[in-house]
Amino acid sequence: MTRNSIASTVIALAFASFAAGCSCSGDADGGGGPGSGSLNDLESITITPAETTLVIQGTAEATQVFTAEGTFKGGKTKDITEQVEWSLATGSTGLGWFDANEFHTWTDRGGMGHVLAKGNGIVATADVTIRLERTISIPPTTGDPLPDNVEALFTGDEAAERAPEAIYPNDEVVVPPNLGRMEVHWLKGAGDNTVFAVSFTNAVTDVTAYLRCERPAGVNPNGCIWEPSGDAWKWVAETNRGGNPVEIRVRGTTDAGGTFGVSDPIRVRFSRDDIDGTLYYWTTSGNTKIVRYDFGAAAGAATDVMGPMSNSAGKCVGCHAISHDGSKIMASAGGQGSGGLVLVDLNGPSVVADQSNGHVIQFGSFRPDGSELVGIYGDDQGHVTYDLILFDTRCDTANMATCGAPTGTISLGGREASHPEWSPNDDRIVYTDVGFHRTSQKPGAGAIGYVDRTQNGWSAAKTLVARADGKNRYSPTFAPDGSFVVYNESTCAGGNVASDDCDADSDPSAKIWGVSSEGGTPVALERATAPGALESTTDFQATFPRFTPFVFVLEDQELGGRRVMWLTYASRRNYGLRTHDGGLTTWLWMTAIDPDAVLSGDDGSFPPSHCRFRT
């Protein structure tokens, strides 16, 4: 097998709705103006208070009574509190509920939102800020317990020499609120610092955890790692869902207190939308196979999906693709020089096609409806087909005779293709246009080519990103709406396109770029692969980018309505204080992409977060 790791993601977005409790008295009957209780002549509503800040401490909810004053034709005013409908605006319903005109917060989340008062077609708004304040003590797994007065230890003077150094997460990272597993890493600072406070703060958040310094074996002896989970994660993530960044700071002191140091902040933003679905990836840890992990699930081992047990030849499987609806997975069995197609029904799971002894495919991509697969096979085993190959993947009762069988090719006029990707709009296939032949898993001197669907089939080969001297451009993948393409680019040392470090297989210099599907100037997604706090290089072998198949919301509409797409890639970069075993460990990373920025020619990526998987 190759030394590369391929990550692919199939995500099914689940929309959650929160019921907003409200009490509606309705419009009063009758007419004749404000004196009779009618809202017929109502012109405006004024809510009091217009702005309010509520603080949630301990386990008690916070409440606020609102009143409404109506202004009627002729300028008359009166209290209409009991005649209007009280509710929370869209995007604010997760903050609490109404009992008549009294607002009640939940007890485990804060945030910013809007209160609405509605009557006779008139709507008024008031701003509400809910600040969640929580402290938690984390008992150490070994050694001395925390001092009884741990909070009081941090009430002295600040001393710069005691300041810890916050290392991870990466500053300005964006994560989905149901990520659930994001470690905080720091260097403890002064040698006698023994007690630490990790704080999450902004206008709506004041959550602090007190703890000792703990770390797994092999981590820097001055390093500390803590993973917020359970309530601690929920307090921070739900409070800041679709909101402003929260700042993470680490303070350090001794068991005796006195002075303490404070780290520089790390800023983390949470998207509005969860990611609900499954991450599939190829692993060489223990055995070469494809495994799955449900996103946001509790810690635990990933589940085996495909491997030598999935094909009659008992071959390893690696290069793979998932159908858009998540029902099918295809993989290439046997690696380079083999390339047998294995197709599995994930609703079973069961093997529905097994050509593990045939030289037919290395990389593939499903048509959006799952009925076809486009693949390539360019290895030198007497079965080379430089054109794109189409396969029948309907695999229902009526079509089992042709399930997994080739049905034709798309001519590329003598060009060699690798890494095909079918557009989510079903109108285009992009691929690596190979300029230097090795095997399909190691194409060199690549460009990004494509064919368009026509009335009678497919167009001639076209170029989206041209070939360039001393570069290898490869592994294209479509954004979930098809508006742009992301791909890898490696810079060949000395301009040598035949170098093993420029063969599209875990190239050290591999970076991620984006380009409009309409063509134009590509943009480097530099923040997606930017160095972490302790890294001195920008070469992280950031390969095989793959999108989730849906578009999500980064911020609520009232905050700007920015969209976000999630992109995964494989890399040998350090995971904070956790190193990559001298370059032998590949991790999976996830980065948020602002599609509108990319389409405007800007770097729309954010710093990456670790997916907690090693391949």
Side-chain angles (χ1 to χ4, degrees):
M1 302 300 291
T2 68
R3 51 194 162 86
N4 175 50
S5 293
I6 304 171
S8 66
T9 315
V10 170
I11 303 295
L13 175 63
F15 292 94
S17 61
F18 298 91
C22 58
S23 175
C24 309
S25 57
D27 291 353
D29 293 330
S36 65
S38 170
L39 298 183
N40 290 341
D41 294 328
L42 182 68
E43 291 188 331
S44 66
I45 302 172
T46 301
I47 299 176
T48 302
E51 297 179 0
T52 187
T53 297
L54 305 175
V55 178
I56 304 173
Q57 295 177 319
T59 59
E61 65 182 28
T63 62
Q64 175 67 55
V65 173
F66 288 91
T67 61
E69 182 180 74
T71 299
F72 295 80
K73 290 181 180 179
K76 295 182 178 180
T77 63
K78 77 161 190 171
D79 187 294
I80 57 172
T81 300
E82 296 183 0
Q83 294 171 261
V84 297
E85 174 188 341
W86 294 95
S87 65
L88 291 167
T90 301
S92 304
T93 52
L95 298 179
W97 54 282
F98 269 95
D99 180 7
N101 60 314
E102 184 176 49
F103 173 68
H104 297 250
T105 69
W106 303 121
T107 61
D108 58 359
R109 72 194 68 176
M112 293 182 179
H114 301 300
V115 168
L116 304 181
K118 304 177 185 178
N120 197 33
I122 307 295
V123 180
T125 65
D127 298 331
V128 58
T129 298
I130 303 168
R131 182 174 176 84
L132 179 72
E133 297 182 356
R134 286 286 191 275
T135 60
I136 184 173
S137 294
I138 309 298
T141 56
T142 61
D144 295 333
L146 287 169
D148 292 336
N149 63 335
V150 63
E151 293 187 42
L153 301 180
F154 294 91
T155 58
D157 295 328
E158 183 177 335
E161 64 273 12
R162 289 205 172 278
E165 182 181 357
I167 301 299
Y168 185 86
N170 293 315
D171 191 30
E172 301 291 351
V173 70
V174 177
V175 297
N178 67 325
L179 177 62
R181 303 186 65 198
M182 183 179 70
E183 294 179 344
V184 179
H185 298 193
W186 68 94
L187 297 176
K188 61 185 181 181
D192 59 345
N193 278 349
T194 55
V195 183
F196 299 88
V198 179
S199 299
F200 303 81
T201 58
N202 61 13
V204 295
T205 315
D206 186 359
V207 174
T208 299
Y210 297 96
L211 65 169
R212 298 284 190 187
C213 177
E214 297 193 273
R215 73 191 72 82
V219 170
N220 186 318
N222 292 317
C224 312
I225 295 178
W226 173 59
E227 182 181 294
S229 60
D231 286 341
W233 175 267
K234 184 177 181 180
W235 294 334
V236 177
E238 292 300 327
T239 294
N240 294 283
R241 178 188 289 267
N244 294 323
V246 61
E247 293 188 341
I248 301 176
R249 287 182 174 85
V250 183
R251 291 174 288 162
T253 189
T254 69
D255 279 37
T259 61
F260 64 90
V262 184
S263 72
D264 290 335
I266 288 175
R267 288 163 289 272
V268 175
R269 184 190 294 271
F270 296 87
S271 66
R272 189 196 71 181
D273 292 334
D274 286 343
I275 295 180
D276 292 326
T278 300
L279 180 74
Y280 292 83
Y281 62 98
W282 172 35
T283 178
T284 57
S285 300
N287 198 354
T288 301
K289 56 191 174 183
I290 296 169
V291 297
R292 58 174 287 168
Y293 198 92
D294 292 336
F295 195 89
T303 303
D304 292 352
V305 176
M306 298 178 71
M309 70 289 191
S310 304
N311 60 91
S312 58
K315 294 181 178 180
C316 67
V317 295
C319 308
H320 63 282
I322 315 294
S323 63
H324 287 227
D325 65 0
S327 67
K328 303 170 186 175
I329 182 171
M330 64 74 54
S332 172
Q336 297 179 83
S338 181
L341 173 64
V342 180
L343 188 65
V344 168
D345 177 2
L346 290 169
N347 293 325
S350 62
V351 178
V352 292
D354 181 1
Q355 299 178 29
S356 52
N357 286 311
H359 302 283
V360 291
I361 196 167
Q362 281 295 1
F363 295 102
S365 175
F366 284 92
R367 188 176 181 178
D369 66 3
S371 65
E372 288 185 275
L373 181 77
V374 60
I376 55 91
Y377 187 82
D379 291 4
D380 292 326
Q381 295 291 330
H383 300 272
V384 172
T385 304
Y386 282 179
D387 290 335
L388 297 170
I389 312 168
L390 296 174
F391 298 83
D392 185 355
T393 54
R394 288 172 293 177
C395 301
D396 51 23
T397 302
N399 296 282
M400 283 305 296
T402 57
C403 171
T407 59
T409 60
I410 301 174
S411 174
L412 301 179
R415 299 184 184 184
E416 178 185 356
S418 188
H419 307 124
E421 170 95 347
W422 209 310
S423 163
N425 301 323
D426 197 23
D427 58 353
R428 177 176 290 186
I429 297 172
V430 294
Y431 56 88
T432 300
D433 182 352
V434 182
F436 181 81
H437 174 77
R438 294 185 186 84
T439 64
S440 292
Q441 291 182 238
K442 293 188 175 185
I448 306 301
Y450 68 97
V451 291
D452 282 329
R453 186 180 289 281
T454 66
Q455 185 174 0
N456 299 316
W458 294 92
S459 71
K462 302 178 183 180
T463 299
L464 184 62
V465 182
R467 213 175 316 280
D469 292 341
K471 302 286 186 181
N472 194 9
R473 292 165 173 169
Y474 53 96
S475 193
T477 186
F478 277 103
D481 62 358
S483 61
F484 65 98
V485 171
V486 164
Y487 63 94
N488 275 133
E489 178 180 289
S490 300
T491 301
C492 307
N496 181 12
V497 296
S499 167
D500 287 344
D501 287 338
C502 207
D503 63 1
D505 188 37
S506 295
D507 297 352
S509 65
K511 303 293 190 299
I512 300 175
W513 290 68
V515 64
S516 169
S517 295
E518 300 301 318
T521 302
V523 57
L525 303 183
E526 295 179 345
R527 284 189 292 272
T529 58
L534 297 181
E535 289 172 312
S536 57
T537 181
T538 59
D539 288 344
F540 299 121
Q541 301 176 340
T543 53
F544 284 91
R546 290 294 182 269
F547 277 104
T548 62
F550 300 106
V551 182
F552 299 82
V553 174
L554 174 61
E555 298 173 345
D556 288 317
Q557 292 294 328
E558 58 205 25
L559 299 177
R562 293 174 65 188
R563 301 186 299 159
V564 68
M565 300 172 177
W566 297 106
L567 184 77
T568 61
Y569 66 87
S571 175
R572 292 181 180 173
R573 63 184 298 146
N574 288 335
Y575 171 23
L577 293 171
R578 298 178 185 266
T579 63
H580 50 62
D581 298 338
L584 300 178
T585 298
T586 299
W587 305 97
L588 295 185
W589 293 81
M590 180 174 67
T591 182
I593 306 292
D594 180 338
D596 299 304
V598 174
L599 291 170
S600 296
D602 298 323
D603 180 359
S605 67
F606 291 84
S609 63
H610 189 257
C611 291
R612 291 303 305 273
F613 305 114
R614 64 179 289 175
T615 63

